Every structure is written in structure tokens, then in C-alpha cells.
Amino acid sequence: MNDRVTLREKIGYGFGDMASSMFWKIFGMYLLFFYTKIFGLAPAAAGTMFLLTRIWDSLNDPIMGLVADRTRDRRGCYRPWILRGAVPFAVLGTLTFTVPDFGPAGKLIWAYATYTAMMMVYTVVNVPYASLLGVMTADTRERNVLSSYRMFFAYAGSLATFMILQPLIDLFAGWLGDGSRISAGDVSGSEVVMPALPAAWTCAVAVIGLVCAVLFVFCYRLTRERIRPAASDSAATAGQDLRRLLRNAPWWILFAAGVAVLLFNSIRDGVAIFYFSDYVRSEYRLPGAGWTLATLYLLLGQIGNMAGVVLAVPLSARLGKKGAFVAAMSCAALLSTLFFGLSPDDTPRLFVLQFAVSVAAGVVLPLLWSMYADIADYEEFRSGRRPTGLILSSSSMSQKIGWAVGGAVTGWLLGAFGYESSATVQSDEALEGLRSMMSWLPAAACLLAVAAAAFYPLGEERMKTVSEALADRRNIHA
């Protein structure tokens, strides 16, 4: 079997996560802001909704993994689902950013319904997409490269979203004839953060959704599944696969590390706009583009993430995947603590720290995805069964649980610290809370990830032994 993956395939595979990340980052960075400032939900209510809907969504991931593993299609087990979900992904994402003319209770029900449906479609597309990594090649080094392409394109998609979302909202607000904006500064001259017209947000997200659908189609057309399920795989029941997975110790360890990584990301992402609108309170807007400091901060973070992805392959070659993971998360923890000491006007240090933390964070996710694919190999080695979709779905599930807990904690803490979404100026307690949520809490999540990864047993030598044994088996049965 030829495990060489062409450049065309690597780019095509990257397109899939580029599409997913365009919406993932909108949800992570802007959805809490949208729900509280535009939609009209209380921060605590939004936080509770995030927790309940995302936990439900995370439970769907292994179900979708089991379904994908049992899909028998001439096009493969996983690729067909990417094509099937492309259009519903765009439509439901747009509806999530729609504000109906309902009362408070009706609007809350709408938020629950649309967001839950959107994330279920996200699962239908993203779990099979993640599983592709385990069947495009059996070479663990090639998986590292593929995973890096995936994350580079993912961060490029996030970067593109941050570059165009605010200008698109501004553009549609102008076309729709409403120039009102959200006030988030002091009473004498507040910073303009975003247009307040809900329809402008809906139209902007619809444009991005269309781009996502096209990217998913390209991902489907350009990729290839090389490792096909063995004939014996169809005889295994879902219960047998689940029991095997629950006895897989490396899976549990990596699952815990993945939850902690997403907890780190979701807290930092979720509070960033609040931090700028209520603590930094700068009136600066980049001439021409109209980007605020908050937007520039987010853009710089994506550039840092992309730089980290580029470093992931050489770092893992030098330190091993586990060593590179631990080193990167330790650096992110240390650098995150430095945010607490920043004053509102300390913009240069703020941006330097954002870039440095983002580089460290960018190293981590490609390693996580590649390590999950290694666990699929390890499961095949120890039990003879390869439930790739189920195992790779757990990576998505860990992300969503971390995102769920992080999003809920962010909303709850905003409420606990006395944050008032309608207030022009926040209390000292609320501002202190914003500083902690940008520094100490993300750092603690990093340390949890490091503690979990310290026990991960599938090092480079172990995986070399596993890969050689599987190659021999496949040659015998070829």
C-alpha cells in the first residue's frame, strides 16, 4: 500500500478544517458576545445554554463515529458525510445568528434549538472529517504532516473570518440603513465595537457559511481513503467497540489532555472581546479596514497559531509528540500568567504576549490529532479491531466538552464577578474578574493538560513497534 499523500490531498484535507474553523471561531469568539449584546440573553443564561447544548452535542460524537465506521460506500466510510453535511452546516449556522421577533422565553427557546441543531450538523461533518486522518495513511510521520496542514488551514480560516466578519457586518448594516452601534466604552466617547443591527450579523454569517459549504465540497473531492475496513470489522457490535475503547488507557489520558486544552482556549477566546470592550477600552480603529484593537488582537493570535503549527513537525521530530506537547503547554501556562499584570494602555506587551501564547497553543492541536490517530493504530494492534471513527470522534468530543465547560464557566464567572452587559462602565470587581479570566484560569487549564500528558505511554519507539506489526499483518492478509 502506498502511504504517500500528495500535496493536492494535503491541501484538500486542510480545506475541511478551514471550513469548520470559520464557524468554530465565530462561535468561540463572538457567540457569547452576540447572545448578550445583540440577542439580549443574560450572561448566566447564555452560559447555562452553552453547557447543556454542548454536553448534549459531545455525546453525539461517539454515536456519529460508530455510524461512520459502519458506513459502506464506494466513496469510503467518512468522505460521503462531509458532502452530505455541507449545505445544512451553512444554513443552520446562519439561523444561529438570527434574532427572531419573540419574547424573552421564545428567544431563549430559539437559541437552544438553533444552536443545538447547528452543533449536531457540525458533528455529522466533523467527526468523519477527523476520522479521515486515520485512514488516509498508515505512516505516523505523514499523519503529523497531514495534521499540521489541517491545523494551518484551520487557523487560516479563523484568520480570514476575523478579517472579514466585522467589515461584512459593517457593510450589511450600511446597506440595510442602520448605523447604530454597540456602546462599550465610557460615557463621554465610547469605543465602537460592532453594529447593533441583528440582520447585519445574519447576512455576514450567511456569506461565511456559503464559503464553508464550498470548502467542504473541495475537501470531499480532493481526498482519498487508503485504509479500508477489514471484512471482520462489520461483525463487531457498537457495544463491543465501546467496551474496547473504555479499556484503552492511552485514550483516556489523551481525552483528559484534550479537554484541558480546549478549556484553555475557550476561556481565553470567550472573554477576549469583553476584556477589550470593558478593560482596555481603546477607541482605535485601523484606517481603511475599521478593525478595533480587539480584532487586531484576534488576528495576531491566528497568525501566532499558524506559526506554531509550522513548528509542530520539527519540534515533535526533536522531542517526540509527547515532549513537544508538554513543552508547548508549559510555555502557554507561564506566558498566560503575565496577562494579569498588564494595564489597559499596555498595548505593545499585550500584543507580544498574545503572539507568544498563540505560537505555543498552535503547536499543540496538530499533535493531539496525530496522537489520536496513533491510538487507532494501537487499538488495532492490541485487539485486531480498528474503530477509527469512534476513536477520532473522541478528539472532537473532548474539544466540545472543554468548550462546553469553558463557555459555561466564562458566562458564570462574568455573572459572579458582577459583569453587567448593559452597563457603560463595569465595576472594579468585574474588571478584576476579566483580568483573571485572561491569565490565571487559562494557565491552570494548561497545567491540567501537562499533568494528563505526563502519563501518555505511546512514545515514538512504542509506535514504531506498533506500526511495523500492523504492516506485517496487512501484508499477510493483502
Side-chain angles (χ1 to χ4, degrees), residues 113-376:
T114 55
Y115 185 63
T116 299
M118 170 61 207
M119 294 313 299
M120 290 179 72
V121 171
Y122 183 97
T123 297
V124 167
V125 175
N126 207 254
V127 167
Y129 169 76
S131 302
L132 268 180
L133 181 61
V135 297
M136 288 179 69
T137 176
D139 188 326
T140 60
R141 289 169 297 182
E142 274 286 85
R143 287 177 185 161
N144 253 5
V145 175
L146 261 177
S147 189
S148 293
Y149 266 85
R150 169 187 181 170
M151 294 313 304
F152 186 87
F153 275 85
Y155 289 130
S158 299
L159 180 66
T161 297
F162 292 144
M163 291 177 68
I164 66 175
L165 180 62
Q166 184 176 322
L168 277 174
I169 296 172
D170 286 334
L171 177 65
F172 283 112
W175 284 355
L176 295 169
D178 190 331
S180 62
R181 295 177 180 271
I182 303 165
S183 175
D186 61 31
V187 292
S188 60
S190 61
E191 179 195 15
V192 175
V193 178
M194 284 285 189
L197 184 65
W201 285 75
T202 305
C203 293
V205 173
V207 171
I208 293 173
L210 177 62
V211 174
C212 292
V214 172
L215 288 170
F216 279 134
V217 172
F218 275 113
C219 177
Y220 162 79
R221 293 183 64 85
L222 296 176
T223 52
R224 174 187 168 198
E225 296 183 28
R226 288 175 175 78
I227 302 175
R228 290 302 182 107
S232 59
D233 283 356
S234 59
T237 67
Q240 289 172 331
D241 281 349
L242 286 169
R243 284 192 292 273
R244 289 190 185 101
L245 182 65
L246 294 177
R247 292 194 296 266
N248 189 318
W251 175 82
W252 280 107
I253 293 168
L254 201 60
F255 181 82
V259 170
V261 169
L262 265 294
L263 185 61
F264 159 75
N265 282 327
S266 62
I267 292 174
R268 287 189 81 242
D269 288 355
V271 80
I273 297 180
F274 296 93
Y275 180 84
F276 273 89
S277 66
D278 295 290
Y279 181 67
V280 176
R281 297 163 66 91
S282 170
E283 297 179 20
Y284 176 80
R285 290 176 74 86
L286 184 69
W291 295 331
T292 64
L293 281 183
T295 303
L296 293 172
Y297 170 90
L298 300 178
L299 290 172
L300 183 63
Q302 295 309 298
I303 294 170
N305 288 150
M306 293 168 73
V309 169
V310 173
L311 292 174
V313 171
L315 277 177
S316 62
R318 185 176 182 84
L319 303 175
K321 295 177 187 179
K322 173 181 173 178
F325 180 96
V326 169
M329 289 309 290
S330 298
C331 287
L334 176 62
L335 293 167
S336 293
T337 62
L338 301 179
F339 273 86
F340 191 79
L342 298 177
S343 62
D345 58 352
D346 201 356
T347 305
R349 279 209 301 163
L350 174 66
F351 277 63
V352 168
L353 282 175
Q354 164 68 343
F355 182 78
V357 171
S358 299
V359 170
V363 171
V364 170
L365 287 180
L367 300 176
L368 268 177
W369 289 111
S370 184
M371 291 158 80
Y372 270 113
D374 288 347
I375 288 176

